Amino acid sequence: MVTRRQDRRERIATAFDDFRRAVGAALGAAAASRDAAVLRHASAMFEMWLRSDGLDAVRRDPSFARALANPRLAEPLRRVLADQRAVFGGWVGSEPDRLTRLVSDAAPAAAGEPPEQWLGEPGKVEGVGPVPELWRIGSAVADGAPAHPPFPVAVPLLDEAHLEIRSTPNTRAAAESLVEALLLRVVSYFRPGLVALHVWDVGQLTGAVPGLYPLTRTGLLTVHDPGRLDELLEELSDHIRRVHTRVLVDGHPSLRALAATTGLRSEPWQIAVLVGNHTELRDEDRRALQRVARNGLACGIQLVLVDVPVTLSAPLETVALHEPADRAAPVTATCTMTGPHATVTLDVPLPREQVTSACHRISDELEGLRSRVGSFGDLLPPERWWAANSTTGVRAPVGFRDGLPVELALCDASPHALIGGPSGAGKTNFLFAMIGSLAARYSPDELELYLLDFKEGVSFAQFTPGRRDPSWLPHARLVGVNINTDREFGLALLRFLADEMRRRAEAAKAHEVTKLEELRAADPSGRWPRIVAVIDEFQFLFAERDAVTREAVTLLEDVARRGRSQGIHLVLSSQDVSGIEAFWGRPAIFEQFVLRVALPRSRRVLADLNDEALTLPRWHAILNHESGIRHGNETVRVPDATGKGTLDALQAELWLRWNSSGPVGLAEPRLFDAGRAPRLADLLATSGVAVGGRGAPVALLGQMIDVAGSAASVPMVATPGRNVAVISSSVADASSVLGAAALSLAGQHTPDGARFTLAALAPEAEEPVDALARRLRAGGHRVDTVALDGIGALIGELAAQVSSRLTGASSRGEPHYLLLYGVDGASGVLERKDPDTFKSGLDGLRQVLKGGPETGLHVLGWWRSVQRLRAVLTMGAGVDDIGCWVAFDVQGSELGSLAPGLVSWSPRPARGLVFDRYTQQRPEVFIVPDIAEVPE
């Protein structure tokens, strides 16, 4: 019994032991399985963190320190390291070095080198380059890559992209240091003056880059008021408009493309730094900023935005600064150039004292450049002359700003120029610099010059051939000097320009176009140069209240308004335009003169509130292509263009160049010198009269005041009224006109082809009559002379011949020219009546005047007053029997009975008024010729 119970107890105990062991084993297996699952999960999470955050980031995170040291997590760490080596192995070995070389090539010198190699040395590179593609800001390493040397990080800037910098309150100082270092790299790379900086800080009056303040003394840095962001944006917008309307007019898309083509950077870069505080801008400022960003890069404007939240539709690089976990650690960043998987360490901020010193050096260098006197030769193109095309306008440098040439442009945007400055301010020098610079760039087929000088001087005469210098400017077609008393010549130029404008408009209409540039494209074989008409001291043209002024104002307004489309440009210079009474109430005229040039001490040339010219030093000028508004001012230094070896040497070289390569037959420019009488021999040569010429003989009386320099001529046709009367109290003017008429007529007849009868009816006429008779006889012509005592018989004989020929009783003989000197001096003789016929000599003279021209007899007479001439033109004779008259020292009011309408005329030396009722609408001024014999 006992044994059986004991046995059962033992079996139960054994079963419980087995059960405990089974349960223990099961629980142990479950724990082991759980631990394995936990380890696997931990390993998976650890590996995920390693791959998502990057091994380097995990190693830098203190919370991962125990995991990295846990041997149970060694396997995922080993796998990540293996994958890292597999992925980055080749890159680590070669790519950092390659990136370093690429950045070194794209960011040369101060753009990418360490500061100790360039800091404190002003740049030498000109605007045409090489322009760095990148500018260094720091160095970087690739996140998750094995340990490797850092590679440099640089961002594009000039002409390439704008820059955005994002910071936090704790990294703002690093952002400002980054901007300061970047700007200093730029201004240290280029020659001073090629980069202008603007700084606007919403929170500081003094701006965000105090180390650069020494640049403000030379204008390289402008610090803008925090409350006037709109003014800065408007200034940048004006710059963009000016570049597009004045500079980028030849089809170039950007200043960079223009510089690549021309080899010249005509506009400095503008870098505008805007420092915000993460607050949205006003709507109008935001829109203006977006417009500047969108259009600025092509015009050399780059924006650097620090904590300015704005969306830009333009190339933009972004640098985002991150706060380090340890305040002692350097600030790091990410940027769009390297992507999010590279950590950028910014370059160490430059020492403030070294930055300030370097900026002082740059400003000193710029002041030295400004003090260097740019020569006239520096205005000329460095390589090919006459290479420019004038299809869209003409432009050329006329002076220097910050060592850079500054261009003057005559084009659609600024078609005409107004130049002002008192006597001695340098107007002539400026005009010479402009003319020379244009002439060197544009060939005579691209540009023609018409030059007038109303003041007493011969400055422009050097552009025509002279006795000592045979050269002439190939572009000059007309030069007028000493014309202060011959206002009609300025009027003649305006008439010519108006006619040429109409001719071009008609040609354009025929080709179904409207503008000169379209006409040149439609008619490539035609010659359509730009015309630039320069009128110095133009106010003299409008000095009187007379018909000349009235017509000149009308023509000037027409040419100024419509000339731009036909390639005709006016350049007017004056001491003061405000006193020209003819323009009062007609502001539209000067509104067309968009280009204004103000010389030292000039007034009223620029806009009313723009008085900067009053403080200009000598040899300087303000160029303004914005109708004189202050923001368009460009102060330039104008080189000496009047000294020996400047414009004169250029003219000689251009003249030789044209003679050696230009087409044969280009005429010399016409010189109108109001102080020099035209020679009869020259008038004969230019008028084309000759023996046996077609048509009736032509009597040349003098030279008209017109662009062509045409002769004042009277055709001696066999029709009534072909007689000439000269009205003057002076024998000198009268004998010159009658002598020119007789000699020119003689040159159109064979020795036996005409008869000349000369009558000296006043004592002072005897000498000029004898001299003329001698010259006519020397030419083999038949010449009869008559004194006072024989004039009555001669007139009676001629009157009888006229009557006989008019009735057909006798045939017409050879042409007969009757030259009467001092007709009124024979009044006593001619008034005597024949006792048989009861007719006087005056009756015979009237009959000769009335019927003589039809029979080949023409009277060319001199009367000493209008009243004495009128006394003859009565009782059978009329005003129309004198078809042409010439008046000298008489007032216009006295001539009213001889011409239609009111005659405006006041006598002046060597000038007369001529009116041919058959060919002229009104009397016109002409110049008395010089009939002296030309020595062999």
Side-chain angles (χ1 to χ4, degrees), residues 420-628:
S423 178
K427 288 196 303 296
T428 299
N429 183 70
F430 180 87
L431 290 173
F432 275 27
M434 178 191 73
I435 291 169
S437 189
L438 286 170
R441 283 167 171 78
Y442 298 93
S443 74
D445 288 329
E446 297 286 338
L447 172 67
E448 286 185 350
L449 297 174
Y450 293 78
L451 311 172
L452 269 62
D453 187 356
F454 271 98
K455 65 178 180 292
E456 296 182 3
V458 293
S459 300
F460 289 160
Q462 76 173 61
F463 301 124
T464 63
R467 290 188 299 271
R468 292 185 298 175
D469 182 6
S471 70
W472 42 276
L473 190 64
H475 307 71
R477 297 293 85 218
L478 175 71
V479 175
V481 296
N482 288 323
I483 59 175
N484 53 309
T485 59
D486 283 325
R487 297 163 52 240
E488 294 81 4
F489 192 70
L491 177 61
L493 175 60
L494 292 178
R495 288 174 180 167
F496 167 80
L497 295 177
D499 291 341
E500 177 66 14
M501 184 172 64
R502 283 189 288 270
R503 183 182 77 88
R504 294 183 174 203
E506 290 171 0
K509 184 178 180 180
H511 287 84
E512 299 181 345
V513 296
T514 58
K515 300 172 61 177
L516 178 71
E517 55 189 285
E518 298 169 348
L519 175 60
R520 289 180 58 154
D523 183 22
S525 60
R527 187 174 185 275
W528 305 106
R530 292 268 169 178
I531 291 177
V532 175
V534 180
I535 307 179
D536 194 11
E537 301 298 349
F538 77 100
Q539 73 274 6
F540 283 100
L541 178 57
F542 309 96
E544 304 291 339
R545 295 183 180 180
D546 57 9
V548 172
T549 292
R550 289 192 294 273
E551 183 179 359
V553 169
T554 301
L555 288 171
L556 178 65
E557 186 171 14
D558 187 33
V559 174
R561 181 170 49 86
R562 298 194 297 136
R564 72 169 73 195
S565 62
Q566 303 305 331
I568 297 175
H569 308 281
L570 299 172
V571 177
L572 307 183
S573 70
S574 173
Q575 294 188 27
D576 186 359
V577 300
S578 64
I580 304 177
E581 183 178 343
F583 294 154
W584 293 356
R586 306 186 76 157
I589 293 180
F590 285 146
E591 287 175 1
Q592 303 297 327
F593 289 76
V594 177
L595 171 57
R596 307 292 178 91
V597 180
L599 296 162
R601 306 187 311 281
S602 63
R603 298 176 181 272
R604 301 181 181 91
V605 177
L606 304 175
D608 290 341
L609 300 179
N610 189 355
D611 57 358
E612 289 190 17
L614 296 178
T615 58
L616 277 180
R618 192 166 179 256
W619 298 104
H620 286 73
I622 290 178
L623 260 65
N624 188 302
H625 290 77
E626 305 290 341
S627 299

Side-chain angles (χ1 to χ4, degrees), residues 102-113 118 123 125-127 129-139 152-163 178-191 194-195 197 256 269 271 302 304 317 319 335 337 344 346-347:
L102 288 174
V103 173
S104 178
D105 293 340
E113 292 179 351
W118 52 266
V125 179
E126 295 294 332
V131 179
E133 299 177 69
L134 299 173
W135 302 84
R136 179 184 169 108
I137 61 171
S139 59
V153 176
V155 294
L157 190 60
L158 301 186
D159 300 327
E160 297 282 353
H162 305 297
L163 179 62
L178 168 61
V179 171
E180 183 177 82
L182 184 62
L183 296 182
L184 190 56
R185 284 185 181 275
V186 176
V187 297
S188 296
Y189 180 85
F190 292 103
R191 178 172 59 80
L194 287 173
V195 180
L197 306 178
R256 179 171 62 176
W269 283 279
I271 301 180
Q302 283 70 222
V304 178
E317 296 295 335
V319 178
C335 68
M337 280 296 291
V344 179
L346 301 179
D347 284 337

Side-chain angles (χ1 to χ4, degrees), residues 644-688:
K644 187 174 179 59
T646 55
L647 184 55
D648 56 340
L650 172 65
Q651 173 177 307
E653 187 166 349
L654 295 179
W655 177 64
L656 292 174
R657 178 188 181 93
W658 182 256
N659 285 341
S660 62
S661 62
V664 177
L666 179 67
E668 296 178 357
R670 189 209 160 198
L671 172 63
F672 177 83
D673 186 350
R676 183 187 307 169
R679 296 186 306 173
L680 178 60
D682 295 334
L683 291 176
L684 290 169
T686 57
S687 61

Side-chain angles (χ1 to χ4, degrees), residues 275-406:
V275 181
N277 58 3
H278 300 283
T279 302
E280 294 282 349
L281 300 175
R282 296 183 305 168
D283 287 346
E284 55 270 28
D285 291 339
R286 175 178 52 78
R287 288 191 292 267
L289 179 60
Q290 289 171 331
R291 287 193 295 269
V292 170
R294 187 165 55 249
N295 301 288
L297 291 176
C299 301
I301 293 178
Q302 283 70 222
L303 300 175
V304 178
L305 308 178
V306 181
D307 297 332
V308 177
V310 65
T311 301
L312 303 180
S313 57
L316 180 69
E317 296 295 335
T318 301
V319 178
L321 276 59
H322 306 299
E323 293 190 31
D326 183 357
R327 290 182 176 273
V331 174
T332 60
T334 54
C335 68
T336 50
M337 280 296 291
T338 58
H341 299 297
T343 298
V344 179
T345 301
L346 301 179
D347 284 337
V348 176
L350 299 174
R352 176 59 52 83
E353 64 278 3
Q354 293 185 26
V355 171
T356 303
S357 175
C359 291
H360 277 298
R361 289 285 305 276
I362 293 171
S363 290
D364 292 342
E365 181 75 8
L366 180 56
E367 288 180 341
L369 289 172
R370 287 174 174 171
S371 65
R372 181 180 67 86
V373 178
S375 68
F376 175 77
D378 295 329
L379 293 179
L380 307 182
E383 297 177 357
R384 294 177 55 203
W385 288 8
W386 291 357
N389 185 287
S390 66
T391 298
T392 59
V394 293
R395 49 192 54 81
V398 293
F400 303 92
R401 182 190 66 214
D402 298 341
L404 283 175
V406 179

Side-chain angles (χ1 to χ4, degrees), residues 93-318:
S94 61
E95 290 306 303
D97 290 339
R98 191 172 74 88
L99 287 174
T100 300
R101 292 192 300 272
L102 288 174
V103 173
S104 178
D105 293 340
E113 292 179 351
E116 57 269 15
Q117 298 186 23
W118 52 266
L119 188 58
E121 293 295 327
K124 305 296 182 185
V125 179
E126 295 294 332
V128 292
V131 179
E133 299 177 69
L134 299 173
W135 302 84
R136 179 184 169 108
I137 61 171
S139 59
V141 293
D143 295 341
H148 63 83
F151 52 86
V153 176
V155 294
L157 190 60
L158 301 186
D159 300 327
E160 297 282 353
H162 305 297
L163 179 62
E164 179 189 28
I165 300 175
R166 300 173 183 170
S167 70
T168 64
N170 292 332
T171 60
R172 171 58 76 87
E176 294 180 356
S177 296
L178 168 61
V179 171
E180 183 177 82
L182 184 62
L183 296 182
L184 190 56
R185 284 185 181 275
V186 176
V187 297
S188 296
Y189 180 85
F190 292 103
R191 178 172 59 80
L194 287 173
V195 180
L197 306 178
H198 300 267
V199 175
W200 173 84
D201 190 334
V202 69
Q204 301 183 62
L205 286 171
T206 56
V209 285
L212 305 183
Y213 284 176
L215 299 177
T216 59
R217 65 182 170 94
T218 51
L220 292 177
L221 171 65
T222 303
V223 180
H224 295 265
D225 190 289
R228 296 180 178 177
L229 175 60
D230 56 333
E231 294 183 3
L232 169 59
L233 296 176
E234 181 62 26
E235 181 179 340
L236 298 176
S237 298
D238 289 339
H239 177 82
I240 293 172
R241 283 192 292 268
R242 182 172 60 83
V243 169
H244 277 291
T245 57
R246 283 182 42 208
V247 184
L248 300 180
V249 293
D250 287 330
H252 294 92
S254 64
L255 289 176
R256 179 171 62 176
L258 178 63
T261 302
T262 62
L264 176 68
R265 180 85 186 192
S266 58
E267 296 289 332
W269 283 279
Q270 307 276 338
I271 301 180
V273 179
L274 275 59
V275 181
N277 58 3
H278 300 283
T279 302
E280 294 282 349
L281 300 175
R282 296 183 305 168
D283 287 346
E284 55 270 28
D285 291 339
R286 175 178 52 78
R287 288 191 292 267
L289 179 60
Q290 289 171 331
R291 287 193 295 269
V292 170
R294 187 165 55 249
N295 301 288
L297 291 176
C299 301
I301 293 178
Q302 283 70 222
L303 300 175
V304 178
L305 308 178
V306 181
D307 297 332
V308 177
V310 65
T311 301
L312 303 180
S313 57
L316 180 69
E317 296 295 335
T318 301

Side-chain angles (χ1 to χ4, degrees), residues 756-760 769-770 772-774 777 783-787 790 794:
F756 294 86
T757 299
L758 281 62
V769 166
D770 290 342
L772 178 58
R774 184 173 60 255
R777 292 187 180 110
V783 180
D784 298 318
T785 57
V786 179
L794 174 64

